[in-house]
Amino acid sequence: MIITEKKPIDEILDALKDKVRIFLIGCGECATICKTGGQEELAEMEAVLKSRGKEITGVCIPDAPCLASRIKIELARNMAALRRTQVILVLSCGLGVQSVKENDRLGLEAIPACNTICSAIVDAEGDFIE
């Protein structure tokens, strides 16, 4: 498991300053557990970006965007929305961002919305052990 933390919203907005049409990708595994890239976090990010005049062209949460086979399927399912997109904002670890970039056939910029902290395991109480 990879532990992530949310980037400050000002840093994300600065990275998106020239972009209006944004596609959001989360992570159904590690980032969901860390509460940095699951359903709630994507909904929160969508609301913030819309309040700043951004258009969200689509949203998806693959089980594991770091796995090429999983992200390829999601990107293919969302090709129509991606064709209207200027940039992909990825709410996952750096491996997920890299996998999105390497498997996106349109060559869109992939911007990370999370910082990768470390790899860890989760103990029986739900605590992370680096």
Side-chain angles (χ1 to χ4, degrees):
M1 169 167 189
I2 306 295
I3 308 303
T4 54
E5 66 180 4
K6 295 178 186 178
K7 285 186 180 286
I9 192 63
D10 289 337
E11 186 177 333
I12 294 169
L13 291 170
D14 187 52
L16 296 171
K17 66 182 169 202
D18 297 331
K19 310 295 185 198
V20 176
R21 295 180 313 279
I22 303 161
F23 191 92
L24 302 177
I25 296 180
C27 168
E29 291 190 5
C30 302
T32 291
I33 293 168
C34 291
K35 302 209 178 292
T36 57
Q39 193 83 27
E40 290 179 25
E41 295 77 30
L42 264 72
E44 178 184 305
M45 182 62 70
E46 183 172 1
V48 168
L49 294 176
K50 283 182 175 180
S51 75
R52 303 296 177 101
K54 307 293 185 183
E55 175 189 341
I56 305 306
T57 59
V59 175
C60 71
I61 304 176
D63 289 339
C66 55
L67 298 177
S69 61
R70 302 260 173 89
I71 196 62
K72 283 180 182 181
I73 291 168
E74 288 299 324
L75 293 172
R77 283 184 185 149
N78 290 283
M79 188 56 70
L82 288 165
R83 289 188 194 283
R84 300 186 316 269
T85 298
Q86 292 175 293
V87 66
I88 300 172
L89 184 64
V90 186
L91 286 77
S92 76
C93 70
L95 292 172
V97 177
Q98 180 178 347
S99 182
V100 168
K101 184 64 182 159
E102 289 176 355
N103 292 290
D104 167 34
R105 297 186 322 213
L106 300 175
L108 295 167
E109 182 179 7
I111 295 177
C114 299
N115 294 319
T116 301
I117 304 301
C118 64
S119 62
I121 59 169
V122 181
D123 67 14
E125 286 81 41
D127 296 319
F128 301 127
I129 301 170
E130 185 174 355

